[in-house]
Amino acid sequence: MHQHTSDPNYTDWLRRQESVWWKRLLDVQRPYRRHLRSLDLGLVLDVGCGLGRNLRNLAGQGVGVDHNPESVSAVRSAGYRAFLPEEFRASEYGQPGRFDALLLSHVAEHMHFDEAHALLSTYLPFVRAQGRVVLITPQEVGFRSDPTHVELFDFAALSRLATGLGLTVEKQYSFPFPRFVGRVFRHNEFVLLARKPG
């Protein structure tokens, strides 16, 4: 993962992004929360969980792993389960096939393609056979909004990433708005749903 995201300053930057008053007032996470819950993923391994936004959106039906100690500490303080990579492997959750699904949300763009492939290869064994994999990345404006972003993962790149890992791509779509909106709206996302072989 891109080095800057492991820095405590990155955690502070994430906190500032999430704590803007109008985001709290308008509950801007509502459509993303509903979307994630609608996927009915079961127990989720949230790789690169950051401050735990998706763990909150999953109502705690997940376990986070992140390489930033400050972020992991923040997630735990909020009452959710999160680990540093080495802690995760030593935990009760670090067992083959332990999870129903893997979520990689707003993580791949912080690294190059080969690094994203290696990261997913590391954590896919913890997902059960026929388990699901959800990849979410920002579209153009969102990609440009964070100086730690390295590579844009569009539908083609996400599909190449999934198939290169032996996953079956089941669906790709733009969320919450149609694809063209991603050129002007920062929070439009590429979403890929895939399944692990049985």
Side-chain angles (χ1 to χ4, degrees), residues 41-47 55 58 61-64 99-103:
L41 297 172
L43 183 63
V44 177
L45 175 57
D46 184 5
V47 177
L55 293 173
L58 289 163
Q61 287 300 302
V63 173
F99 293 87
D100 299 305
L102 182 153
L103 173 65

Side-chain angles (χ1 to χ4, degrees), residues 49-172:
C49 65
L51 292 179
R53 181 176 63 200
N54 287 315
L55 293 173
R56 288 195 303 275
N57 287 349
L58 289 163
Q61 287 300 302
V63 173
V65 61
D66 201 283
H67 68 168
N68 187 315
E70 188 83 12
S71 294
V72 168
S73 178
V75 175
R76 288 174 178 165
S77 295
Y80 298 100
R81 294 165 293 187
F83 301 92
L84 290 166
E86 58 275 15
E87 294 173 334
F88 172 77
R89 284 189 288 274
S91 78
E92 61 183 292
Y93 299 103
Q95 306 292 327
R98 180 73 170 79
F99 293 87
D100 299 305
L102 182 153
L103 173 65
L104 190 77
S105 176
H106 291 265
V107 174
E109 68 274 11
H110 290 277
M111 56 189 75
H112 294 291
F113 186 92
D114 290 346
E115 295 170 311
H117 185 279
L119 180 68
L120 283 167
S121 296
T122 298
Y123 290 101
L124 274 175
F126 301 107
V127 179
R128 65 173 174 79
Q130 286 291 303
R132 298 169 72 196
V133 176
V134 182
L135 307 179
I136 302 175
T137 56
Q139 296 180 3
E140 288 85 354
V141 177
F143 177 78
R144 292 194 298 269
S145 72
D146 184 335
T148 68
H149 289 171
V150 172
E151 189 169 326
L152 179 72
F153 279 77
D154 58 9
F155 288 133
L158 287 175
S159 182
R160 189 160 58 94
L161 182 60
T163 55
L165 289 158
L167 304 172
T168 301
V169 176
E170 295 187 330
K171 191 175 183 183
Q172 291 190 86

